[in-house]
């Protein structure tokens, strides 16, 4: 690290990947437009910080409307020239497999970049985010050759068949909590279906998206098929949502912003898919395997510092085991090592930004003001720098408190007692959200009954947080609409054409 500037050396203390450090030294980071890395038209840049020490990692181009217009122009040309959609399915599949291979080959570098930029423990980046991104590209590589139309029964004088065709130019706006993984969830199915993509990563965490863009260029995709515009929501994100020549927008993020994007899409009635917030009920019955339920519940709320849309933030515990369970969950929280996320022993890093840190601190104060008790935590971390929050378990919570109604997006569990199955279903569904839920019980009949009654896009039984590219993910109610992953994502990125041919 002697060759690294003093400021970068300080910002990346603990990093071991020479490739990651070399990437960070080449600044400022640029926009990917038409296969070339270019500065923003305004010349503006912004800083991306290491949230563990609040120091600058890199300068990044600040794209805005002019840059989005340029990207759309080249994306439209690439789509209309059939540079991608008219490649043979086998050729497109090979490109996606190549991207998956490159992600795996650069896994150590990407994991460190993700941890430096986001703050999540390296343990999570290396074992969840990066492998999951590669698996997603590989999964959709297999789908390229399996996007079928149908022949339909019709009058004998007619032949009717359907085609699944790509939607066109897809704007994709991703969040900061799983940057590379969310990029793969968006890009891979869109490319599999023959679309072209303009990706806007979150301004807090642009680095792995930029590095992915470099790997995509290395894989040899045609110019204009994947373009990356870094910048802020107002400016870059809003221009994508409003653009009259973008055919579809896919967004993952807050419900508030999702509603803005939906309104903006009305100009040209572009297709929209939204994966938004959550306030997921995690239900503990007395006959659950308690050690497993405690571990799974801790994973459900403390993974990625609770910055997970499907986090089990409302922990419903039946009254007879409420004290026992919250004691055990608090004890497990006390064992989580909070510190430098590059340390392989760290299990909780900082929140992603000062804005998020302030937001979560506000919820900690609100919970206490409403009468909830912090059985453990309830305070910021004690580190000298960085956006740390102690893992927190609130008891004495009722389902009408602010900390039970609003998405905190931090390591804060609200433990709520319930009387019986009917009570917990009513309370669990009493929310604006419907992204996920979990049920812990040895009674499989009860588990399946409650799972069916819960209004959520995903329900886990005796586990929490399991995701796989083969299985759909999305929400009910204000958690959004549309399903990512699995075969269902093909519906998001294709449209159906019916063809009639008169015979004779």
């Amino acid at each position: 690290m002697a060759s690294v500037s003093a400021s970068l050396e300080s910002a990346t203390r603990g990093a071991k990947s020479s490739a990651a450090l070399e990437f960070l030294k080449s600044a400022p980071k640029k926009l990917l437009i038409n296969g070339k890395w270019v500065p923003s038209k305004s010349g503006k840049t912004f800083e991306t910080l290491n949230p563990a020490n609040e120091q600058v990692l890199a300068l990044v181009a600040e794209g805005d409307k002019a840059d989005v217009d340029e990207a759309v122009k080249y994306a439209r040309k690439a789509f209309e020239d059939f540079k991608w959609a008219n490649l043979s399915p086998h050729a497109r599949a090979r490109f996606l497999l190549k991207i998956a291979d490159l992600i795996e080959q650069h896994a150590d570098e990407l994991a460190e970049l993700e941890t430096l930029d986001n703050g999540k423990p390296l343990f999570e980046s290396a074992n969840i985010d990066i492998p999951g991104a590669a698996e997603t590209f590989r999964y959709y590589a297999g789908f390229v050759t399996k996007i079928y139309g149908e022949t339909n029964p019709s009058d004998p004088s007619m032949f009717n068949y359907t085609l699944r065709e790509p939607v066109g130019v897809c704007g994709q706006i991703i969040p900061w909590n799983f940057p590379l993984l969310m990029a793969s969830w968006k890009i891979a199915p869109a490319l599999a279906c023959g679309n072209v993509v303009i990706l806007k990563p979150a301004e807090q965490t642009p680095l792995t998206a930029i590095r992915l863009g470099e790997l995509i260029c290395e894989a040899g995709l045609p110019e204009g098929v994947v373009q990356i515009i870094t910048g802020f929501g107002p400016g870059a994100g809003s221009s994508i949502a409003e653009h009259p020549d973008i055919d579809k927008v896919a967004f993952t993020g807050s419900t508030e912003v999702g509603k803005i994007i939906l309104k903006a899409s009305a100009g040209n009635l572009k297709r929209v898919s939204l994966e938004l917030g959550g306030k997921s009920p995690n239900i503990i019955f007395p006959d659950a395997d308690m050690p497993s339920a405690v571990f799974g519940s801790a994973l459900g709320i403390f993974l990625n510092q609770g910055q997970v849309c499907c986090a089990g933030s409302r922990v419903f515990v039946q009254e007879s085991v409420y004290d026992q369970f919250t004691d055990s969950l608090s004890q497990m929280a006390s064992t989580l090592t909070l510190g430098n996320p590059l340390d392989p022993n760290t299990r909780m890093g900082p929140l992603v930004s000062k804005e998020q840190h302030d937001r979560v601190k506000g919820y900690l104060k609100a919970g206490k003001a409403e009468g909830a008790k912090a059985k453990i935590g309830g305070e910021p971390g004690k580190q000298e720098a960085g956006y740390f929050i102690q893992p927190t378990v609130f008891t004495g919570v009722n389902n009408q408190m602010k900390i039970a109604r609003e998405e905190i997006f931090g390591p804060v569990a609200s433990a709520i007692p319930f009387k019986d199955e009917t009570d917990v279903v009513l309370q669990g569904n009493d929310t604006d959200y419907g992204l996920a839920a979990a049920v812990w019980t040895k009674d499989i009949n009860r588990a399946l009954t409650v799972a069916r009654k819960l209004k959520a896009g995903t329900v886990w039984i005796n586990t929490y947080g399991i995701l796989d590219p083969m299985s759909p993910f999305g929400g009910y109610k204000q958690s959004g609409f549309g399903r990512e992953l699995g075969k269902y994502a093909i519906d998001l990125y294709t449209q159906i054409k019916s063809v009639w041919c008169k015979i004779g």
Side-chain angles (χ1 to χ4, degrees):
M1 291 175 57
S3 63
V4 183
S5 69
S7 59
L8 183 58
E9 181 176 4
S10 178
T12 60
R13 183 160 290 121
K16 297 179 180 178
S17 169
S18 59
L21 294 174
E22 286 300 315
F23 172 78
L24 291 171
K25 283 196 294 182
S26 58
K29 304 302 170 196
K30 298 180 179 181
L31 312 174
L32 178 58
I33 298 179
N34 199 34
K36 299 176 179 62
W37 293 96
V38 298
S40 64
K41 289 186 176 296
S42 69
K44 292 181 180 179
T45 61
F46 63 94
E47 297 176 341
T48 185
L49 305 181
N50 181 344
N53 54 35
E54 304 174 50
Q55 297 187 41
V56 178
L57 291 167
L59 294 178
V60 180
E62 183 182 335
D64 57 21
K65 183 181 185 300
D67 303 290
V68 171
D69 288 344
E70 188 83 352
V72 172
K73 179 180 72 173
Y74 285 111
R76 177 59 59 189
K77 185 176 188 302
F79 184 70
E80 300 298 345
D81 288 351
F82 301 107
K83 288 183 177 181
W84 181 248
N86 271 17
L87 284 178
S88 78
H90 298 292
R92 288 210 312 275
R94 283 194 293 271
F95 276 118
L96 292 182
L97 290 171
K98 179 62 174 175
I99 296 170
D101 290 343
L102 287 169
I103 290 172
E104 289 182 339
Q105 291 167 21
H106 294 269
D108 291 344
E109 171 194 356
L110 290 166
E112 286 209 352
L113 285 174
E114 200 77 296
T115 290
L116 285 166
D117 210 18
N118 169 274
K120 67 177 61 193
L122 184 62
F123 177 84
E124 293 178 13
S125 296
N127 292 289
I128 298 174
D129 297 60
I130 311 309
E135 287 173 1
T136 302
F137 275 99
R138 189 160 286 120
Y139 176 82
Y140 284 105
F143 244 113
V144 178
T145 56
K146 302 166 188 68
I147 300 174
Y148 303 116
E150 299 172 330
T151 57
N152 298 316
S154 61
D155 187 279
S157 65
M158 295 288 175
F159 174 53
N160 177 239
Y161 64 95
T162 63
L163 297 171
R164 274 191 179 267
E165 297 184 337
V167 173
V169 178
C170 299
Q172 302 181 319
I173 304 172
I174 60 173
W176 44 257
N177 57 339
F178 292 91
L180 187 65
L181 189 59
M182 292 296 100
S184 72
W185 282 25
K186 296 288 188 290
I187 295 174
L191 294 184
C193 296
N195 299 281
V196 297
V197 166
I198 300 168
L199 180 79
K200 193 205 92 67
E203 62 267 25
Q204 298 88 345
T205 55
L207 295 180
T208 51
I210 295 169
R211 187 68 181 103
L212 176 62
E214 293 181 349
L215 296 179
I216 287 172
C217 291
E218 184 178 338
L221 270 70
E223 294 176 349
V225 172
V226 174
Q227 308 190 74
I228 297 174
I229 304 295
T230 50
F232 295 90
S238 59
S239 297
I240 288 172
E242 296 166 359
H243 204 287
D245 208 22
I246 287 179
D247 302 301
K248 174 187 166 52
V249 169
F251 172 73
T252 298
S254 71
T255 297
E256 177 186 12
V257 175
K259 291 177 180 179
I260 295 171
I261 287 173
L262 189 59
K263 290 179 182 177
S265 71
N268 67 336
L269 293 179
K270 59 172 60 68
R271 294 173 64 171
V272 178
S273 55
L274 301 172
E275 194 267 279
L276 307 175
K279 198 67 182 175
S280 300
N282 180 32
I283 299 168
I284 316 298
F285 285 102
D287 66 339
D289 180 319
M290 285 300 165
S292 295
V294 169
F295 179 82
S297 299
L299 184 71
I301 188 57
F302 299 131
L303 179 78
N304 198 25
Q305 294 71 248
Q307 298 169 132
V308 181
C309 52
C310 58
S313 52
R314 289 186 299 153
V315 185
F316 287 97
V317 188
Q318 196 152 1
E319 291 170 339
S320 62
V321 293
Y322 184 85
D323 291 338
Q324 171 196 343
F325 184 86
T326 54
D327 284 346
S328 298
L329 183 60
S330 300
Q331 173 59 33
M332 178 156 286
S334 72
T335 68
L336 300 174
T337 305
L338 187 66
N340 183 353
L342 288 168
D343 185 330
N345 295 314
T346 293
R347 290 297 175 267
M348 279 190 60
L351 301 185
V352 73
S353 65
K354 184 180 186 301
E355 178 185 12
Q356 188 62 17
H357 192 240
D358 290 344
R359 173 183 170 87
V360 174
K361 286 193 295 183
Y363 279 108
L364 296 178
K365 291 180 181 177
K368 295 172 186 175
E370 288 184 303
K373 306 296 182 184
K375 199 154 194 171
I376 190 169
E379 301 291 340
K382 298 179 180 179
Q383 288 72 14
E384 293 182 3
Y387 308 123
F388 293 90
I389 292 287
Q390 295 176 15
T392 298
V393 177
F394 274 122
T395 57
V397 182
N398 69 65
N399 202 40
Q400 300 308 312
M401 289 182 177
K402 184 176 183 178
I403 57 172
R405 304 304 299 177
E406 300 180 14
E407 186 176 36
I408 298 172
F409 229 59
V412 183
S414 297
I416 304 170
F418 70 89
K419 296 178 181 178
D420 54 27
E421 184 179 309
T422 299
D423 179 34
V424 77
V425 168
L426 288 172
Q427 289 198 71
N429 287 336
D430 182 14
T431 173
D432 291 334
Y433 300 105
L435 190 56
V439 183
W440 298 83
T441 176
K442 294 177 183 175
D443 185 339
I444 191 62
N445 290 328
R446 176 162 58 190
L448 295 176
T449 298
V450 172
R452 181 168 292 187
K453 292 178 179 178
L454 291 169
K455 296 176 181 177
T458 297
V459 180
W460 293 288
I461 295 174
N462 295 329
T463 189
Y464 205 98
I466 303 299
L467 297 173
D468 191 287
M470 68 181 181
S471 183
F473 185 78
Y476 286 27
K477 298 189 282 187
Q478 292 190 43
S479 288
F481 49 78
R483 291 294 181 269
E484 295 189 302
L485 302 182
K487 66 180 182 180
Y488 301 90
I490 303 303
D491 294 331
L492 300 182
Y493 292 102
T494 56
Q495 51 193 351
I496 306 298
K497 176 182 287 182
S498 180
V499 181
W500 289 88
C501 178
K502 190 175 187 306
I503 300 173

